[in-house]
Amino acid sequence: MVIGVLQFELHVHGAESLKDKRRVVKSIRDRLHREHLVSVAEVGALETLNLALMGVAVVGTDGARVAKVLDSIDAKLRALTDAELGSTRREIIRGEQLSAGSASSLDEDAIAAELLDRAENLS
């Protein structure tokens, strides 16, 4: 499994209200989702009038394919007319990195003890 993540800033020039900004963000989010079958969300600066922090995630089995999708999205964002692309950050995570991470290091006994302790404190 390969996960591609693209985080980026959008500068929405000319937005006079949050409604204007959200219209632009929704249009971009819906288009990226529809054309590339990726997950897209506004993840920060929700109440900032001219800035949107966005994230895109794509999952696949082939790293080259995931990278190609992210490249295509990046090119599309650079060509926007209703917003300007600011800084971007891209990351490719391979399945091996995930299995060596937090999921395999869970201490089930410690979790069970904590849950029992919390249940006793509730009663």
Side-chain angles (χ1 to χ4, degrees), residues 76-111:
K76 193 164 288 181
L77 291 171
R78 291 183 188 287
L80 289 173
T81 58
D82 47 356
E84 178 184 350
L85 182 63
S87 66
T88 63
R89 181 172 175 246
R90 175 180 162 155
E91 187 172 355
I92 303 288
I93 303 165
R94 306 219 179 273
E96 303 83 48
Q97 293 170 295
L98 296 174
S99 63
S102 61
S104 64
S105 64
L106 289 177
D107 185 349
E108 292 179 14
D109 293 333
I111 293 171

Side-chain angles (χ1 to χ4, degrees), residues 2-115:
V2 179
I3 302 169
V5 178
L6 179 65
Q7 298 173 23
F8 57 94
E9 293 179 345
L10 282 181
H11 300 278
V12 185
H13 302 296
E16 296 180 5
S17 67
L18 287 175
K19 187 175 182 179
D20 290 341
K21 172 193 161 183
R22 289 187 178 120
R23 178 187 50 78
V24 171
V25 168
K26 182 180 182 329
S27 171
I28 293 167
R29 185 188 69 216
D30 291 349
R31 184 165 45 135
L32 292 176
H33 173 72
R34 182 179 61 251
E35 294 175 4
H36 300 283
L37 299 176
V38 296
S39 294
V40 185
E42 183 177 7
V43 296
L46 298 173
E47 300 300 320
T48 305
L49 188 61
N50 298 103
L51 178 67
L53 302 176
M54 310 269 306
V56 171
V58 58
V59 177
T61 57
D62 178 23
R65 171 77 174 115
V66 168
K68 185 177 178 180
V69 170
L70 293 179
D71 288 343
S72 177
I73 291 170
D74 186 76
K76 193 164 288 181
L77 291 171
R78 291 183 188 287
L80 289 173
T81 58
D82 47 356
E84 178 184 350
L85 182 63
S87 66
T88 63
R89 181 172 175 246
R90 175 180 162 155
E91 187 172 355
I92 303 288
I93 303 165
R94 306 219 179 273
E96 303 83 48
Q97 293 170 295
L98 296 174
S99 63
S102 61
S104 64
S105 64
L106 289 177
D107 185 349
E108 292 179 14
D109 293 333
I111 293 171
E114 183 179 343
L115 289 173

